[in-house]
Every structure is written in C-alpha cells, then in structure tokens.
Amino acid sequence: MKRILYIICAAALLASCDSRENSFGRLDQFDKDLRAPQPVSIREIRPTNGGAVIKVNIPDDDIIRGVIATYDRNGVEVTAKCSRYVDSLVVEGFSDTKEHIVKVASFNAAEVQSEAVEAKVTPLIPTIMTVKPTITPTFGGVQVHIEGNPAKQNLAVTILRCADVSQVSRPKKDIQWLEVSTLFTESDSIRLTRRGIEPTEAIFGVYIRDPWGSLTDTLVTTLTPIVEIPLDKSKFKDALIADDNISSANTSWYPVSAMWDGSGASATPHFFVTNTSDPMPGWITIDLGATVQIDRIATLPRIGYNIWQGAQVRDFEFWGSMEPSGKAGDGEHGFDDSWFCLGKFTQVKPSGYAQDGSIGTCTVEDNTYFNNGNDFEMNIEEYPRCYDNLRYLRVVFANTFATFELGSKTGSVQFGEVSPYGRYIDENE
C-alpha cells in the first residue's frame, strides 16, 4: 500500500513540473526571460584616494538582486557589485584625479541590467601618487623607507640591483636590472630591509605597485651595503651576573640558552620563560665570548603563541659592557657606569599602535610581521655609545604586553631568540 502511495505522489509531482514547463518554458529559460529591473538613482558620491563611494537609491522592485558599476580603469573595463541590501558601491584603482564616468545599473537574477545612470567621479589623489620610497645602505643589504600611505593601501615594493655601476648614466629602462625581491606592506610609514646582499658598490632601484597595476617612477641610486656578520652563538653563555634579576621558570624546559640556541622555533625547549612574579623590567646578561661591535639585533618571539598579548615582549632595551661589576649603581634600572645603552625598541606593528599605546586592531600583515621577528638597528644619533666595544650584552625586557596594559611591576616573560650582528674586534678571540 505504501509503495502504491509513493508512486502516486511521484507522478503528481512530475505532472506539476510538466505543467509549469508547458506554461512558462524551462525554469532556466524563465529566469532569462525576466524583464529588466527598474533603474537606480544616485544619492551621493564621496571621493576617496584613487576612487569613490557611490551611494544609490534602490527602487522597490522585487526582481532586483543587486547593483553593478561599470567603469574604465587604466584602459580596462571593470565592474563593482553590491547586493540589493547594500546601498553603496566602491569604485577604486584610478591612477589620477581626473573626472571619470561610472555607469550604474540594477540587475536581476538572470544578470539582466536596467538602464544605466551615469555617476561622475573625481577621485582624491591616489596613494600611488603620494607614496614616497627612499633607499639607503644598511648592514648586510639595503633598507627602503616607505611613507605617504595614509589610506594604508596594500602595496608591493620591488627592489632592483645592477652590479655594473657604469650603467648608472643610462635611462632607467635601459639599465640591466636584476630583481632582488618584492616586499609587501599596508603601513603608512615603515622601513623594509632586504639583507644577504654582497657589500660591493652597485646601482639599486626601487618602485612601488598598487593592487591595480599602477606604478611609481623607479628611484635609482648607487650605494654599497655595509659589511656585517652574525655573531657566533656557539661562544655565547649565561654570564650569571649578580645583578641580573630574572631567571628561567624551569631550566630543563625553558633554559636561558634557548635565547641563543639558533632554533628559531617555538616548540619546547626552544624558548625562554621566566617566573610569573619576576620583576619588570627584567634582564638577563649574555657573555658573547669575544669583544665585538654590534650593528643590529634581531629578535624572535615565542612563535605563534598569544601574539600581541600576554607575556610576549613589547618593549626591549639592549645594554653593553666590557667588564660588568655586578653591583647596583645610580643609573637607569639601578645599573652602574660599567653599562652603556645600545638602544631601546618597541615590537614593530606595521599598522601602528593606538594613540594610547594599546594594540588596537591587528591586520594579517601585523601577525605575519610578529612571527617573523624584529630587526633592531643601532642608531648612533640617539645612543652615542651604541657602537662601543663590548663583551657582555644585557637584554632588558622593559615591558610585556600584559605589564604594559596593566602597569604591573611584576610578571612573566616568554621570548624566542636574540641574534646580534656586527663584527669581531679581535679575530683571535
């Protein structure tokens, strides 16, 4: 009986479908035969850097599924869409501040468009016209300083090199360039460094590309990267200075030596963790095993764990000494005059911290940058003794994200790796 009932229901359903197909044609054909929807009207045009936001009035028409803008961008016809439930379209990627015509129409489920209305868009000056790169030599390579990106647009920064300096008088396009690398940023102001370049004079170029293929002019200069080497970590050891004020929470799992074991990993035991109630600022001293000068210090966090929060380090300081006394003094942090400051640094956040110093919103670039670590370069203008000879490097954890937020004078530190670069003063050491 149930089987008979099932057959009757199925037959009735098929008959219903046949009836609809006979009356209106096939369903997909029915969609294609929908009438064109009613057109929209333009309510407001708000210019943006290299584009505009177009606000529209959407008519009360049930068949409208969305709104489409069609326009010419750098010689290519492109479109932007929004659903019927959103009243704004974003058009972007213009490389000038001229007036542009954008055709705006509604469309139905079959992509049939209404009659188009024209919106006259005059963009504000695009980022590709305001962004300014400079390129300078740095230790082991070159550094590009990017500024003039207040809209925080995603930019590609391409670095070029030509080893034949005799070509510098040629037109830029005729120089036999080799591409060194392309770096990406959304920051308004940031320094991007490319290392691993031999320290010989060469022609360097840099240009910037926006997401729509517009390019800046190529900046060309001749420079020589500065010689440096990574200090030999096999010579490092815990100096065990009497006035060091923090230590490992567990010497087996989180040893001090994890700070220079070269692992660059976040898995136990390849990071350093202190006790939860250690004083802040807290510091540890490394015997570098030789007399050196330091150009820069790279750091790695505990990778991929509680980034931008908790016991991860926010503010760093580096101090040097040839012969630390181990005694308290009258200087900063109670250091005596056997110590001199190499530099004070904050964990770099490409999108910037909030005005009150808090984290604010974190971008994908922020998170990637955090896990890749920092490159802190010494600055003799700020710290006149930063290039002095030293054997002992004191790493000061001035603040974690937790202690900065809470204003706490105690806390725990989680840290990955410290990697000093520079030169040996006595090659025999």
Side-chain angles (χ1 to χ4, degrees), residues 216-236:
T216 63
D217 189 23
T218 300
L219 174 68
V220 177
T221 187
T222 300
L223 55 84
T224 305
I226 304 169
V227 177
E228 71 161 8
I229 62 169
L231 300 188
D232 182 359
K233 293 184 180 182
S234 69
K235 297 183 177 184
F236 294 8

Side-chain angles (χ1 to χ4, degrees), residues 167-344:
Q167 296 187 33
V168 71
S169 59
R170 293 183 179 181
K172 298 173 186 179
K173 63 182 180 61
D174 294 335
I175 296 175
Q176 295 175 336
W177 294 113
L178 290 178
E179 185 174 317
V180 175
S181 64
T182 297
L183 308 171
F184 297 88
T185 184
E186 296 177 0
S187 178
D188 181 22
S189 178
I190 194 171
R191 295 181 185 277
L192 302 172
T193 303
R194 175 62 164 83
R195 303 196 192 273
I197 302 174
E198 60 182 289
T200 57
E201 187 180 46
I203 309 169
F204 287 87
V206 59
Y207 67 86
I208 298 174
R209 183 180 70 250
D210 71 13
W212 305 281
S214 296
L215 307 175
T216 63
D217 189 23
T218 300
L219 174 68
V220 177
T221 187
T222 300
L223 55 84
T224 305
I226 304 169
V227 177
E228 71 161 8
I229 62 169
L231 300 188
D232 182 359
K233 293 184 180 182
S234 69
K235 297 183 177 184
F236 294 8
K237 62 182 179 180
D238 188 347
L240 299 173
I241 304 297
D243 63 331
D244 283 344
N245 67 347
I246 59 174
S247 59
S248 171
N250 183 313
T251 55
S252 297
W253 289 87
Y254 316 118
V256 174
S257 60
M259 290 173 54
W260 60 83
D261 67 357
S263 67
S266 61
T268 303
H270 300 296
F271 56 91
F272 173 57
V273 180
T274 70
N275 297 295
T276 57
S277 58
D278 274 352
M280 292 296 295
W283 53 86
I284 196 78
T285 304
I286 305 171
D287 179 355
L288 301 177
T291 302
V292 303
Q293 289 179 340
I294 291 178
D295 303 318
R296 67 179 173 101
I297 297 176
T299 65
L300 279 176
R302 180 182 176 185
I303 298 170
Y305 179 83
N306 280 350
I307 64 176
W308 301 109
Q309 61 181 306
Q312 297 274 22
V313 184
R314 183 187 189 279
D315 298 313
F316 297 83
E317 296 178 16
F318 301 103
W319 294 69
S321 175
M322 279 299 296
E323 296 183 23
S325 69
K327 298 178 181 179
D330 298 328
E332 191 174 356
H333 306 312
F335 297 171
D336 69 7
D337 59 7
S338 66
W339 291 100
F340 51 89
C341 188
L342 305 180
K344 299 179 180 180

